[in-house]
Amino acid sequence: MSITAPRTRPTLDWRLRFGALSLIWGFSFLLIKVGTEAYAPFQVTLGRLVFGTAVLAAAMAVKRERLPRGARTWGHLAVAALLLNALPFSLFAYSELTIPSTLAGICNATSPLWGMALSLVALSEDRPTRVRVAGLGLGFLGVLTVLGAWQGFHGLDATGTAMALLASLSYPVGWIYVRRTLAGAGHSHLSMTGAQLLLAAVQLGVVTPLFTSLPARFPLVPLIAVAALGVLGTGLAILIQYGLVAEIGPTTAQMVTYFIPVIATAAGVAVLGESLRWSTPVGAVIVLAGAALTQARARSSAPKGAEVEERVRVRVSSGLSRPRGGAAK
């Protein structure tokens, strides 16, 4: 697997691409909401994956990349496709049938918290620090604030919220699996990600007809939302993400995580007219603060090759996946 930075310098400044990625992933939750107004959640997810796969296929054709080989690699990619794409994308789509896109975007920000908690169990080299453990506790306190725990979660759809939180949990599970099985696969990140999205599209292509019927009509606005979700929120976002990781490193690139819930909330309120209680933005700030603390690492304990290893791990993740639990998507 290539771990070298591109030889040619991108013509567009990385800050502009960083901002574009934040907007794309932040608006993804609005696009999901619009898409599910006319199409079943599985159909929205299938369309998203098909359009996203098409973008990566075009990029592979331009760069003359080939799909990876080996049954073992494809088997691991199938699991990664389920955990990082098919499952979380579907769960977010189903959750937004009953919860606002603002809440879904905030739930997505809990991925670093889940990731830190899981890494303590699954990754023996990822030792906790007091700061990171404090961040974990602070983050989940923020989740309880967003959900209004002191009011007994009044007015909250428990099923939809649980689906959004499970979707956020699926990402770090997938990252840990990828880190253990595909970090040394020996293929380019574009090839691996293209194959992963293709497998996720196949998985949804099998499941969707079993649980949904063909729409009688195809309303234009929701259809455009699904297409934009796939082309921009999945395909293009992945290409931008990996370009940023290669140029500025995963530590800086992962900061996009902290802009996504802010943009998702602003978009939901301004465009969709979703209501916003005081506890939602306050809790979101607490969640983001906790998530930021969980990413803190002691300088003396970080191995010299940690940055390279992180780049490799990030390059084999895809979809709304982000370095160390950063984006939705």
Side-chain angles (χ1 to χ4, degrees):
M1 180 178 299
S2 173
I3 59 174
T4 59
R7 294 181 180 179
T8 58
R9 188 178 183 85
T11 57
L12 193 62
D13 186 83
W14 73 266
R15 296 170 186 83
L16 296 177
R17 286 178 282 131
F18 183 95
L21 184 59
S22 301
L23 287 172
I24 289 171
W25 270 335
F27 270 86
S28 292
F29 297 95
L30 179 149
L31 295 175
I32 293 172
K33 193 74 170 180
V34 174
T36 53
E37 290 177 355
Y39 304 106
F42 275 143
Q43 293 170 346
V44 171
T45 304
L46 176 60
R48 174 182 190 172
L49 289 169
V50 169
F51 282 109
T53 302
V55 171
L56 291 192
M60 290 178 63
V62 170
K63 295 187 176 183
R64 297 183 179 180
E65 292 270 3
R66 293 184 178 182
L67 291 172
R69 298 180 180 180
R72 185 181 182 86
T73 298
W74 279 88
H76 289 314
L77 282 173
V79 178
L82 175 65
L83 295 174
L84 292 171
N85 303 116
L87 180 59
F89 290 1
S90 298
L91 285 172
F92 272 124
Y94 268 102
S95 73
E96 292 199 39
L97 291 177
T98 55
I99 67 173
S101 64
T102 54
L103 179 56
I106 293 172
C107 287
N108 178 74
T110 64
S111 281
L113 305 178
W114 296 119
M116 190 262 182
L118 290 172
S119 68
L120 298 181
V121 178
L123 300 175
S124 58
E125 71 274 19
D126 204 359
R127 298 297 182 184
T129 64
R130 291 181 180 179
V131 171
R132 298 182 71 195
V133 172
L136 183 64
L138 182 63
F140 283 111
L141 177 62
V143 173
L144 294 177
T145 303
V146 170
L147 302 183
W150 66 92
Q151 297 176 334
F153 308 106
H154 177 70
L156 184 72
D157 183 81
T159 301
T161 305
M163 285 184 175
L165 291 173
L166 284 174
S168 302
L169 172 61
S170 183
Y171 288 128
V173 173
W175 297 324
I176 290 174
Y177 181 84
V178 163
R179 186 171 177 176
R180 287 182 173 274
T181 61
L182 290 171
H187 301 283
S188 73
H189 72 275
L190 181 58
S191 173
M192 296 286 281
T193 307
Q196 182 177 311
L197 277 189
L198 175 62
L199 288 169
V202 170
Q203 291 168 357
L204 263 294
V206 173
V207 171
T208 301
L210 300 177
F211 295 94
T212 66
S213 57
L214 189 67
R217 59 191 186 89
F218 295 85
L220 183 59
V221 173
L223 184 60
I224 292 175
V226 173
L229 186 63
V231 173
L232 300 177
T234 303
L236 181 61
I238 289 173
L239 297 178
I240 295 175
Q241 177 197 21
Y242 289 129
L244 287 172
V245 170
E247 182 177 352
I248 62 178
T251 302
T252 303
Q254 75 180 14
M255 294 300 292
V256 71
T257 304
Y258 308 115
F259 292 89
I260 292 173
V262 176
I263 296 171
T265 299
V269 173
V271 180
L272 299 179
E274 295 178 345
S275 60
L276 194 66
R277 297 181 299 178
W278 69 267
S279 58
T280 301
V282 171
V285 170
I286 298 174
V287 168
L288 294 178
L293 289 176
T294 63
Q295 306 309 299
R297 284 182 176 275
R299 293 184 180 181
S300 60
S301 63
K304 293 182 180 180
E307 183 79 359
V308 173
E309 179 185 354
E310 183 76 355
R311 288 172 186 251
V312 172
R313 182 175 66 85
V314 170
R315 284 169 180 257
V316 293
S317 303
S318 70
L320 285 184
S321 62
R322 283 101 14 209
R324 268 192 196 285
K329 313 223 234 107

